[in-house]
CSV table of all heavy atoms in Angstrom, one decimal:
chain,number,residue,atom,x,y,z
A,194,ILE,N,100.1,81.6,45.2
A,194,ILE,CA,99.0,81.9,44.3
A,194,ILE,C,98.4,80.6,43.8
A,194,ILE,O,98.9,79.5,43.9
A,194,ILE,CB,99.6,82.7,43.0
A,194,ILE,CG1,100.6,81.9,42.3
A,194,ILE,CG2,100.1,84.0,43.4
A,194,ILE,CD1,100.3,81.8,40.8
A,195,GLN,N,97.2,80.8,43.2
A,195,GLN,CA,96.5,79.7,42.6
A,195,GLN,C,96.2,80.1,41.2
A,195,GLN,O,95.6,81.2,41.0
A,195,GLN,CB,95.3,79.3,43.4
A,195,GLN,CG,94.7,78.0,42.9
A,195,GLN,CD,93.5,77.6,43.7
A,195,GLN,OE1,93.2,78.1,44.8
A,195,GLN,NE2,92.7,76.7,43.1
A,196,CYS,N,96.5,79.3,40.2
A,196,CYS,CA,96.2,79.7,38.8
A,196,CYS,C,94.9,79.1,38.4
A,196,CYS,O,94.6,77.9,38.6
A,196,CYS,CB,97.3,79.2,37.9
A,196,CYS,SG,97.0,79.5,36.1
A,197,GLU,N,94.1,80.0,37.8
A,197,GLU,CA,92.7,79.5,37.4
A,197,GLU,C,92.7,78.8,36.1
A,197,GLU,O,91.8,78.1,35.7
A,197,GLU,CB,91.7,80.7,37.4
A,197,GLU,CG,91.3,81.0,38.8
A,197,GLU,CD,90.7,82.4,39.0
A,197,GLU,OE1,90.7,83.2,38.0
A,197,GLU,OE2,90.2,82.7,40.1
A,198,SER,N,93.8,78.9,35.3
A,198,SER,CA,93.9,78.2,34.0
A,198,SER,C,94.5,76.8,34.1
A,198,SER,O,93.9,75.9,33.6
A,198,SER,CB,94.8,79.0,33.1
A,198,SER,OG,94.3,80.4,33.0
A,199,CYS,N,95.6,76.7,34.8
A,199,CYS,CA,96.3,75.4,34.8
A,199,CYS,C,96.2,74.7,36.2
A,199,CYS,O,96.7,73.6,36.3
A,199,CYS,CB,97.7,75.5,34.3
A,199,CYS,SG,98.8,76.2,35.4
A,200,GLY,N,95.8,75.4,37.2
A,200,GLY,CA,95.7,74.8,38.5
A,200,GLY,C,96.9,74.9,39.3
A,200,GLY,O,96.9,74.3,40.4
A,201,TYR,N,97.9,75.5,38.8
A,201,TYR,CA,99.2,75.7,39.6
A,201,TYR,C,98.9,76.3,40.9
A,201,TYR,O,98.2,77.3,41.0
A,201,TYR,CB,100.2,76.5,38.8
A,201,TYR,CG,101.4,76.9,39.6
A,201,TYR,CD1,102.5,76.0,39.6
A,201,TYR,CD2,101.5,78.1,40.2
A,201,TYR,CE1,103.6,76.4,40.4
A,201,TYR,CE2,102.6,78.5,41.0
A,201,TYR,CZ,103.7,77.6,41.0
A,201,TYR,OH,104.8,78.0,41.8
A,202,LYS,N,99.6,75.8,41.9
A,202,LYS,CA,99.5,76.3,43.3
A,202,LYS,C,100.9,76.5,43.8
A,202,LYS,O,101.7,75.5,43.7
A,202,LYS,CB,98.7,75.4,44.2
A,202,LYS,CG,97.3,75.7,44.3
A,202,LYS,CD,96.7,74.8,45.4
A,202,LYS,CE,95.2,74.9,45.4
A,202,LYS,NZ,94.6,74.1,46.5
A,220,SER,N,101.8,86.9,37.0
A,220,SER,CA,101.3,85.9,36.1
A,220,SER,C,101.7,84.5,36.7
A,220,SER,O,102.6,84.4,37.5
A,220,SER,CB,101.8,86.1,34.7
A,220,SER,OG,103.2,86.0,34.7
A,221,CYS,N,101.1,83.5,36.2
A,221,CYS,CA,101.4,82.1,36.6
A,221,CYS,C,102.8,81.7,36.1
A,221,CYS,O,103.0,81.9,34.9
A,221,CYS,CB,100.3,81.2,36.0
A,221,CYS,SG,100.7,79.4,36.3
A,222,PRO,N,103.6,81.2,36.9
A,222,PRO,CA,105.0,80.8,36.5
A,222,PRO,C,105.0,79.6,35.6
A,222,PRO,O,105.9,79.3,34.9
A,222,PRO,CB,105.7,80.5,37.8
A,222,PRO,CG,104.7,80.2,38.8
A,222,PRO,CD,103.5,81.0,38.4
A,223,LYS,N,103.9,78.8,35.6
A,223,LYS,CA,103.8,77.6,34.8
A,223,LYS,C,103.2,77.9,33.4
A,223,LYS,O,103.8,77.4,32.4
A,223,LYS,CB,102.9,76.6,35.6
A,223,LYS,CG,103.3,75.2,35.3
A,223,LYS,CD,102.5,74.2,36.2
A,223,LYS,CE,102.4,72.9,35.5
A,223,LYS,NZ,101.3,72.1,36.2
A,224,CYS,N,102.1,78.6,33.3
A,224,CYS,CA,101.5,78.7,32.0
A,224,CYS,C,101.4,80.2,31.6
A,224,CYS,O,101.0,80.5,30.4
A,224,CYS,CB,100.1,78.1,32.0
A,224,CYS,SG,98.9,79.1,33.0
A,225,GLY,N,101.9,81.1,32.4
A,225,GLY,CA,101.9,82.5,32.0
A,225,GLY,C,100.6,83.2,32.1
A,225,GLY,O,100.5,84.4,31.8
A,226,SER,N,99.5,82.6,32.5
A,226,SER,CA,98.2,83.2,32.6
A,226,SER,C,98.2,84.3,33.7
A,226,SER,O,98.8,84.2,34.7
A,226,SER,CB,97.2,82.1,32.9
A,226,SER,OG,96.0,82.7,33.4
A,227,PHE,N,97.4,85.3,33.4
A,227,PHE,CA,97.2,86.4,34.4
A,227,PHE,C,96.0,86.1,35.3
A,227,PHE,O,95.7,86.9,36.2
A,227,PHE,CB,97.1,87.7,33.7
A,227,PHE,CG,98.4,88.2,33.2
A,227,PHE,CD1,98.6,88.2,31.8
A,227,PHE,CD2,99.5,88.6,34.0
A,227,PHE,CE1,99.8,88.6,31.2
A,227,PHE,CE2,100.7,89.0,33.4
A,227,PHE,CZ,100.8,89.0,32.0
A,228,GLY,N,95.3,85.0,35.0
A,228,GLY,CA,94.1,84.6,35.8
A,228,GLY,C,94.5,83.9,37.0
A,228,GLY,O,94.2,82.7,37.2
A,229,ILE,N,95.2,84.7,37.9
A,229,ILE,CA,95.6,84.0,39.2
A,229,ILE,C,95.0,84.7,40.4
A,229,ILE,O,94.6,85.8,40.3
A,229,ILE,CB,97.2,84.1,39.3
A,229,ILE,CG1,97.6,85.5,39.4
A,229,ILE,CG2,97.9,83.3,38.3
A,229,ILE,CD1,99.0,85.7,39.9
B,85,ZN,ZN1,98.9,78.5,35.1
Side-chain angles (χ1 to χ4, degrees):
I194 60 131
Q195 189 180 345
C196 176
E197 282 161 355
S198 306
C199 72
Y201 170 86
K202 269 188 187 181
S220 62
C221 171
K223 209 174 156 194
C224 72
S226 163
F227 289 108
I229 60 164

